[in-house]
Amino acid sequence: MGAMLGWRGILACHALVVDSCLLCKQVSLVPFWIRSHWAAEGIWIFVSFECLVLGMHELCAVTEPWLGPAATEDIDTTHDLHLAALFTGLTVVHLTSIFFVSSSQRRRLSALGAAVGAVTAHAHLLLGDRKTVLLTGTYGRPYEPIRNLLWAHTSPGLSLIVSGPSMLPMCNTNQLINRYIVAIMFTGFLATAQVPRWIASHVLGLWAWRVAWLALSFATMARSLYGIYGSIVRQNGSQLARYGLFALVVSSWSLFPVVWLLAHSGTITRPLESFLYCFGDFSAKQLAAVVLIQGGRLHRRRHLLRQAARMWRTARKKEK
């Protein structure tokens, strides 16, 4: 395996090892001054994604006996290019906002938004230019592994944004939700990819594999949403706003498994499947952008209220 991998594949393997260590309760191995920095999570998402994308072709070539050879198709991907341009603009907005916010927490959320926007723009640019790997799944449907890779990196960042501020960036509490979210994408990938031949040779083994990974994917999604629900409910604000935000998260996340089921059951065409995935990406990321903007307004409002309270206390002391 090592002889077949080039430097890109080896770099991607190293990224996988580092990601696995960080997700498996080894975040304490990272020096405190690094993981407490406001840019730590955003940089991690961006660097990990880019390293894995760089080595994806070599990794898929190495695993060809299992995943099968690369497929080809000719569909209209103009919507991916439009979405790449849109997220490039959003990335610039988030990067610019870093220089105009007053707190490290706001910088952290802006950095997360920039990282999510940047990797989403890159992924859809590759999809639009048809420069990514296309494989044939277990149900005979072509699929792009880069989508699972994209969602495994952006969904944790989005959950951190919509869940509000945490006590410490890259803390074990955040990592617990991140582990479940990455598990959604991993199990979803295994439910989509070709079944190993020694299992697929038996009909019972074939369907047991498919059903087991699909059930695990839905279970980890439900557990992730439960963790996000707990984080949102603890936030300040009206009950209607908090439950409304959670309802939007559930609806935007639920679109992806619905599209998956429709696609792999042959109900929708490949162009429509690609378009709906683009719409889902846009909806989920736009929700995070709205939360960031609203969070900035709430931060300014709290700052003005604290300033007014200090002025009131000072005036009372002078009166006494």
Side-chain angles (χ1 to χ4, degrees), residues 47-60:
V47 173
S48 171
F49 178 82
E50 294 301 325
C51 288
L52 290 170
V53 165
L54 194 62
M56 178 171 286
H57 285 273
E58 294 185 7
L59 291 177
C60 289

Side-chain angles (χ1 to χ4, degrees), residues 49-184:
F49 178 82
E50 294 301 325
C51 288
L52 290 170
V53 165
L54 194 62
M56 178 171 286
H57 285 273
E58 294 185 7
L59 291 177
C60 289
V62 167
T63 54
E64 184 176 321
W66 167 29
L67 299 179
T72 57
E73 67 175 355
D74 186 19
I75 63 172
D76 183 17
T77 55
T78 308
H79 48 271
D80 284 295
L81 296 175
H82 292 163
L83 202 60
L86 174 64
F87 278 106
T88 300
L90 286 175
T91 302
V92 173
V93 171
H94 289 311
L95 287 174
T96 305
S97 67
I98 293 175
F99 300 98
F100 296 96
V101 294
S102 56
S103 67
S104 60
Q105 180 58 34
R106 293 296 305 161
R107 291 192 191 96
R108 175 198 172 217
L109 294 178
S110 296
L112 280 170
V116 168
V119 299
T120 304
H122 188 197
H124 284 284
L125 179 62
L126 293 175
L127 288 166
D129 288 339
R130 302 190 189 123
K131 292 182 179 179
T132 185
V133 180
L134 183 70
L135 301 174
T136 303
T138 182
Y139 300 98
R141 185 87 169 192
Y143 71 99
E144 301 93 346
I146 195 173
R147 294 192 189 275
N148 298 83
L149 185 64
L150 172 65
W151 299 331
H153 284 78
T154 58
S155 297
L158 295 175
S159 72
L160 293 174
I161 292 172
V162 300
S163 298
S166 64
M167 294 298 293
L168 178 67
M170 292 187 73
C171 65
N172 286 324
T173 302
N174 290 339
Q175 298 304 92
L176 178 62
I177 297 179
N178 291 349
R179 281 196 294 273
Y180 283 114
I181 293 175
V182 172
I184 300 172

Side-chain angles (χ1 to χ4, degrees), residues 136-141 187-196 199-218 260-261 264:
T136 303
T138 182
Y139 300 98
R141 185 87 169 192
T187 53
F189 171 75
L190 292 177
T192 306
Q194 293 281 353
V195 180
I199 297 178
S201 59
H202 304 281
V203 176
L204 182 61
L206 171 67
W207 282 103
W209 175 280
R210 290 173 173 175
V211 172
W213 287 117
L214 195 57
L216 279 173
S217 182
F218 280 104
W260 187 94
L261 289 172
H264 289 273

